[in-house]
Amino acid sequence: MDFKEVFVKIFDQNREIALCAAGTAVALLGLGLVYKYTCPEKKLTQVGVVTQLLVHPVKSGKAVSVETAECLRMGLKYGELRDRHWLVITEDGRMVTGRQQPRLVLVSLTCEGGQLCLSGPQMEELRVPLHEPNNAVVDCRVFSVDVQGRDCGDDVSNWLTRYLESDSTVRLVHFEPHLKAQRPSEKEPLFPKDEKVAYPDAAPIMLMSEASVRDLNTRLDKDVTVLQFRPSIVVSDCEAFTEDTWDHIQIGQVELKRVIGCGRCLFTTVDPETGTITRKEPLDTLKTYRLTDPKQKTAPILGQYYTVKKTGVLHVGEPVCKITY
């Protein structure tokens, strides 16, 4: 039997396999061509540069400025620190924020070597184990939404109660992935129904530009900084309030989708450097020209809320690109 006869015999024995393989290849090629010619091409246009990444481990606590951070579905992560994953509560589970306790903005929470470290003015540093799996899981509330957190223990509770000079005991809880989270869509239908956050007011990411704050400062007697507004991502090299138009952006490999403007409240009148509250500025001035959302009749907009469509690592200095198709 010569080579030709052998080849024909093998082909006949494997005809069905060969035909299936050929058919699959043609189908895949066709799908590729359909995708290429029917799906619009993504276009990136640089609109700014990341100048700050800010993680706020404790809701209303002091910001941690970092050069790089993971951007996850539930917000920024830096080492063991997760954005707004710790919450101060009363003994009956109601949240305590800088609105009621302005000096809370001076409380710093960090994590080192498996320990949670708390510090504040005129207070000794407190170190306790970061993970306490035997501590109780507590039901609590962020505004009107029921959530859960694991209690951080009596030592932390005593420290915070003394620091805040509170007449009643306060406690600290920590969000863990398996606990009940907030679903922003329950308060604002514009959020995707599958979106979840730990203890932020609304969204996993809040972005604002330095230019917007500079514009505000031209109208104030005393300058404020971006820290007064507690963003996750701060952007430069753009015009004031242009972030209001960035519906879909990419930073490195991270993709963010804008949902709604951040309506500002009394908390913006707490000075992040002194922990004092004026109850006036800059909120009063913002109300004179930033009541830009018809649904927010009394809350001026400064900064924008985003959801995370594609996770990744963010770096200070990276370009911010607007995505269009």
Side-chain angles (χ1 to χ4, degrees):
M1 185 179 295
D2 62 18
F3 176 78
K4 181 178 179 181
E5 291 174 328
V6 171
F7 179 80
V8 170
K9 185 175 181 180
I10 292 174
F11 181 79
D12 287 341
Q13 291 174 347
N14 296 278
R15 183 185 299 272
E16 287 189 16
I17 295 174
L19 290 174
C20 285
T24 300
V26 170
L28 289 173
L29 178 62
L31 287 173
L33 291 171
V34 168
Y35 180 84
K36 179 178 179 181
Y37 290 107
T38 61
C39 292
E41 184 178 352
K42 181 168 74 172
K43 180 182 177 183
L44 299 179
T45 304
Q46 184 170 338
V47 291
V49 175
V50 176
T51 52
Q52 291 189 66
L53 296 170
L54 299 170
V55 180
H56 299 82
V58 180
K59 185 177 181 68
S60 289
K62 191 171 185 177
V64 179
S65 179
V66 299
E67 290 295 309
T68 183
E70 294 180 71
C71 188
L72 305 178
R73 286 293 303 273
M74 292 181 72
L76 298 188
K77 179 177 185 290
Y78 178 75
E80 294 283 358
L81 296 180
R82 299 283 302 262
D83 190 76
R84 294 166 177 95
H85 270 51
W86 283 264
L87 175 70
V88 180
I89 60 171
T90 60
E91 286 199 288
D92 61 357
R94 290 178 290 111
M95 72 174 185
V96 177
T97 72
R99 300 166 184 85
Q100 304 89 30
Q101 292 282 1
R103 291 180 68 244
L104 190 54
V105 301
L106 305 179
V107 171
S108 174
L109 185 149
T110 58
C111 298
E112 298 174 12
Q115 289 189 311
L116 181 152
C117 309
L118 279 175
S119 61
Q122 287 79 55
M123 293 290 290
E124 75 286 357
E125 183 182 69
L126 177 69
R127 290 175 174 257
V128 296
L130 174 59
H131 300 293
E132 292 278 19
N134 296 322
N135 285 5
V137 170
V138 178
D139 293 326
C140 41
R141 290 174 74 81
V142 173
F143 295 106
S144 59
V145 180
D146 293 325
V147 291
Q148 292 181 313
R150 189 174 299 279
D151 192 279
C152 292
D154 290 341
D155 288 344
V156 174
S157 173
N158 293 336
W159 191 96
L160 282 168
T161 303
R162 284 190 293 114
Y163 170 73
L164 296 175
E165 299 177 348
S166 177
D167 294 333
S168 55
T169 301
V170 297
R171 306 194 70 83
L172 186 70
V173 295
H174 178 216
F175 183 81
E176 297 175 354
H178 62 281
L179 300 181
K180 184 176 182 179
Q182 295 185 82
R183 291 193 178 272
S185 61
E186 294 178 4
K187 292 186 291 184
E188 175 47 69
L190 290 175
F191 281 94
K193 291 190 180 299
D194 64 344
E195 195 71 24
K196 295 192 297 183
V197 293
Y199 307 132
D201 283 1
I205 297 293
M206 198 272 281
L207 177 149
M208 64 186 303
S209 70
E210 292 179 347
S212 297
V213 178
R214 283 198 302 271
D215 181 276
L216 171 61
N217 282 333
T218 65
R219 307 161 194 263
L220 297 174
D221 293 331
K222 180 183 177 182
D223 285 358
V224 295
T225 70
V226 292
L227 296 178
Q228 200 124 345
F229 304 99
R230 310 180 70 77
S232 313
I233 302 172
V234 183
V235 179
S236 68
D237 290 4
C238 61
E239 297 296 320
F241 313 117
T242 52
E243 63 265 37
D244 297 356
T245 66
W246 299 344
D247 291 333
H248 193 181
I249 59 175
Q250 181 168 321
I251 307 171
Q253 296 302 309
V254 173
E255 289 189 21
L256 304 174
K257 194 80 170 63
R258 188 178 72 87
V259 180
I260 192 172
C262 180
R264 294 304 179 169
C265 69
L266 190 68
F267 193 21
T268 60
T269 70
V270 177
D271 187 325
E273 300 299 325
T274 64
T276 57
I277 186 169
T278 67
R279 301 184 180 275
K280 298 286 290 180
E281 295 293 0
L283 187 60
D284 285 356
T285 296
L286 280 171
K287 287 180 178 179
T288 66
Y289 73 112
R290 286 296 295 170
L291 290 172
T292 55
D293 185 342
K295 293 194 303 180
Q296 299 273 16
K297 294 181 180 179
T298 60
I301 302 299
L302 191 65
Q304 295 289 324
Y305 282 135
Y306 284 81
T307 57
V308 181
K309 308 309 292 183
K310 185 179 179 183
T311 62
V313 178
L314 298 173
H315 302 273
V316 169
E318 282 186 308
V320 179
C321 295
K322 188 174 181 178
I323 299 174
T324 54
Y325 292 93

